[in-house]
Amino acid sequence: MPGKLTKAGIVQTAFAVLDSHGIDGLTVRALAARLGVQPPALYWHVRDKQALLDEMATQLWRQVSAELAALPADWPWQRSMAEFAAITRRALLAHRDGAKVFSGTYLTDASLLEAQEEPLARMMRDGFTLAAVIRASSLLYNFIIGFCIEEQAVAQSIAAGDQRYSLEHRASRVDEHAHPLVVQSGPEIFGDPDARFAELVAVIIDAADRMRGTGS
């Protein structure tokens, strides 16, 4: 006999289904089967798959927000932005298709929005206009989501035995003599994702500094 359903328990189990079957396999029916109930029992808590994804994204963001809140308040804004990127990426990569789950979802907990007040104010005390903060933050956020979606798709394919993304296979598809730069670009594109992520975040932070200086 299954225990009493709670939204928190449903979300926790949904992450287990996600890790096992990916976002396409995360269905209300599969979740109900894992919980040992009939699908209609879930509709009291999540009306459909999108509502479920919203709750899962909210839980991911709670974890991110908790880590961000623990950072020293006197860090330079550049270091805080870099750590925000690293924390968010770790949270998204912690679950199969985690970046896809988070993309385009709706935060159901308004307190997570309210928690953004002080970080916004801190950036403005560092010389940003509100518009510049939003542009810089949006640039960084959209980069993180896009990078992680691509990173997970490639990593999960390789883990499943798909060798199409190997550097050797990529190089074999191109005439090295006619297109040497294409072949040489392979390690840059599919090399160490940690190093590439950090380098590109640094580029975005540099762009954010220019936004701060111009107010645009």
Side-chain angles (χ1 to χ4, degrees):
M1 188 75 176
K4 182 179 178 182
L5 288 177
T6 64
K7 184 176 290 184
I10 290 170
V11 170
Q12 181 179 2
T13 303
F15 277 114
V17 176
L18 177 73
D19 290 336
S20 297
H21 303 292
I23 194 168
D24 292 334
L26 176 60
T27 64
V28 173
R29 184 175 297 278
L31 178 57
R34 180 71 69 98
L35 288 164
V37 299
Q38 293 299 313
L42 301 182
Y43 296 141
W44 290 100
H45 302 278
V46 286
R47 65 182 181 276
D48 53 27
K49 182 174 179 177
Q50 185 56 57
L52 175 63
L53 293 176
D54 289 342
E55 294 295 343
M56 294 171 72
T58 298
Q59 180 57 30
L60 283 176
W61 198 247
R62 285 193 187 101
Q63 298 168 15
V64 170
S65 294
E67 288 194 57
L68 292 175
L71 298 180
D74 59 351
W75 271 7
W77 66 266
Q78 296 93 331
R79 185 174 180 184
S80 295
M81 282 190 75
E83 194 63 19
F84 166 83
I87 289 171
T88 304
R89 177 173 174 247
R90 282 199 301 271
L92 298 181
L93 298 183
H95 297 282
R96 180 177 175 180
D97 291 334
K100 287 183 179 180
V101 166
F102 199 81
S103 177
T105 47
Y106 173 86
L107 294 181
T108 63
D109 184 351
S111 70
L112 297 175
L113 300 177
E114 294 168 352
Q116 296 173 18
E117 183 74 18
E118 178 53 29
L120 289 171
R122 193 180 307 152
M123 292 285 280
M124 293 181 69
R125 290 195 293 270
D126 283 325
F128 285 85
T129 65
L130 181 58
V133 174
I134 297 306
R135 290 187 179 96
S137 300
S138 296
L139 177 61
L140 181 59
Y141 172 82
N142 290 330
F143 162 73
I144 295 167
I145 296 294
F147 188 97
C148 289
I149 287 176
E150 183 69 16
E151 180 182 8
Q152 286 192 306
V154 172
Q156 289 167 185
S157 293
I158 292 174
D162 188 342
Q163 296 302 311
R164 290 178 301 169
Y165 293 104
S166 72
L167 294 177
E168 294 78 8
H169 177 74
R170 185 179 187 276
S172 71
R173 301 175 63 204
V174 179
D175 184 333
E176 182 176 5
H177 298 291
H179 307 286
L181 297 179
V182 173
V183 174
Q184 293 168 29
S185 69
E188 291 293 331
I189 298 171
F190 296 103
D192 180 3
D194 294 336
R196 188 155 42 93
F197 182 83
E199 289 168 358
L200 293 174
V201 167
V203 171
I204 292 172
I205 291 174
D206 184 61
D209 197 26
R210 293 197 296 275
M211 294 180 195
R212 180 175 72 108
T214 63
S216 62

